Every structure is written in structure tokens, then in C-alpha cells.
Amino acid sequence: VETTLKEATNIDGVEHGITFGRDENGQITQAPMRDGGVYNVPVTQNWPGAFASVHNHVANTPLSTGDIYSAIKLISNNPNFTTSYINLPDGSSYSIVVTDLALAQNFIDKYPADQIPGYSPEFPDAIHNELQDLKDYFGFDLSGRTNALAYILQKYDAGLQILKEDDMGNYDAITVRIKENLDGSKTYEFINCP
């Protein structure tokens, strides 16, 4: 699937996505690939037995706020739809897993997306600004921005977990713990993630 998405993007420069389902025999099926734009792609939500989707980013950019809100909306429409995979051009792959639907729905009710027509949704200003500030600590590279996003989801009890694929093809959760130092300062520790 990753090669197909990459090949399609190399041709037209936009995101592409595929939905996965299970047939009545439990076999995994896939919907036809969908074409999107530079920053988004629609998901085939009505594919029989749909449980996950995968899409690619055109550039090596971290998971977006749009990816987060989309993952919650997908499971809200279909409780079997628990995982969204995102592949990047550098070969890295991430997933967003909804671990608690009630918490995820509470998160979007409490913190609805700021949406400007034609643009990807963003977190409300207070969370958006906090995320930007965390980049000063975690870093502005792909890893730092992804870790900051994982921390925000954890802090706000969003019912979501970000995972990153390791070299063996397994997905490891990106979990952050705050450690209080003796001088009162705080440091962030990453647990079970590459």
C-alpha cells in the first residue's frame, strides 16, 4: 500500500488514501484509493467492515491537527474505525489510535476545531499556542513536533494515542511523562518510544 500511495503522489503531488475493512469471513479488504489535495484526502467511510485508513503526507510533516480531528470523527461515525495511519515520504509511518471513544468525543466537544474554509482545522487558540510553545522545548523537527502533539493529546485526556513504526514494523506508543526536578523545574521523559 505504501508504494502505491507514494507512486500516486509522485505523479500528481497530492495526498492519497485507502480505507481497510473486513469481509464476512474476516479477510482484510481495501477500498479503491482516493485522491486528495496537498494537505488532505477524503476517507471512504462506508466501506464494508471499515476499521482503519492510511494516507500519505506530501512532505515530511508531522501529524496535523486535521489528522487528529479526522480520526475522532471517523470513529464517531463508525465505532469499528479505530486507527488512522499516516505515511511520510522519508519512509516513516505513524498511527493515531482512538483508545477511548468517550474521552475523544468529550475532547472535540470541549475543544472544537478552529476551521477556516479552505484550510486544515486547528486546535482552539489556547491549545494551539501551548503546542507552539512546546516546540521550543521538544524541537521544531519532525520528531519534536510529533512528541509535542503526543504530549498535548495526553495532557488534555483526548482518548487518542500516537504511535510510531519501528524498524521491525511494530508501532510503539509515544508517551510523555513530566518529571519534577529538585529545583522545581520540569523535564519531559519519553516512555516506550523510539
Side-chain angles (χ1 to χ4, degrees):
V1 171
E2 182 178 343
T3 302
T4 305
L5 296 174
K6 271 188 188 179
E7 289 169 355
T9 296
N10 288 338
I11 293 168
D12 59 18
V14 297
E15 290 187 1
H16 299 277
I18 298 172
T19 298
F20 299 102
R22 291 193 194 281
D23 65 18
E24 54 278 347
N25 298 319
Q27 298 297 308
I28 294 177
T29 62
Q30 72 179 52
M33 184 170 43
R34 300 210 43 195
D35 305 329
V38 176
Y39 301 111
N40 60 24
V41 63
V43 175
T44 304
Q45 296 183 43
N46 61 350
W47 187 252
F51 67 90
S53 68
V54 60
H55 76 274
N56 64 313
H57 282 187
V58 175
N60 287 317
T61 55
L63 308 181
S64 69
T65 305
D67 293 328
I68 299 300
Y69 283 103
S70 176
I72 297 170
K73 287 179 185 174
L74 287 170
I75 194 170
S76 295
N77 294 336
N78 176 353
N80 296 320
F81 215 123
T82 58
T83 308
S84 297
Y85 294 94
I86 298 94
N87 295 333
L88 304 185
D90 68 2
S92 60
S93 181
Y94 295 85
S95 67
I96 302 168
V97 177
V98 179
T99 57
D100 187 314
L101 177 57
L103 287 176
Q105 289 174 324
N106 182 56
F107 178 79
I108 61 171
D109 289 344
K110 229 171 146 178
Y111 308 107
D114 281 345
Q115 181 72 57
I116 297 171
Y119 293 89
S120 294
E122 290 291 345
F123 287 128
D125 286 344
I127 296 176
H128 177 79
N129 293 339
E130 183 177 358
L131 181 61
Q132 299 310 311
D133 291 343
L134 283 168
K135 291 176 190 175
D136 288 335
Y137 182 85
F138 291 118
F140 286 85
D141 62 355
L142 175 64
S143 178
R145 291 163 57 187
T146 302
N147 293 340
L149 180 59
Y151 174 72
I152 287 290
L153 295 176
Q154 182 181 319
K155 177 182 178 182
Y156 286 91
D157 219 4
L160 300 171
Q161 180 70 59
I162 295 176
L163 297 95
K164 182 179 182 194
E165 185 180 30
D166 65 19
D167 293 339
M168 302 299 291
N170 301 309
Y171 283 82
D172 299 315
I174 299 173
T175 304
V176 184
R177 176 176 55 202
I178 297 178
K179 180 181 176 188
E180 295 250 359
N181 299 315
L182 293 175
D183 64 2
S185 65
K186 296 178 183 178
T187 54
Y188 300 90
E189 296 181 329
F190 296 95
I191 308 161
N192 299 329
C193 61

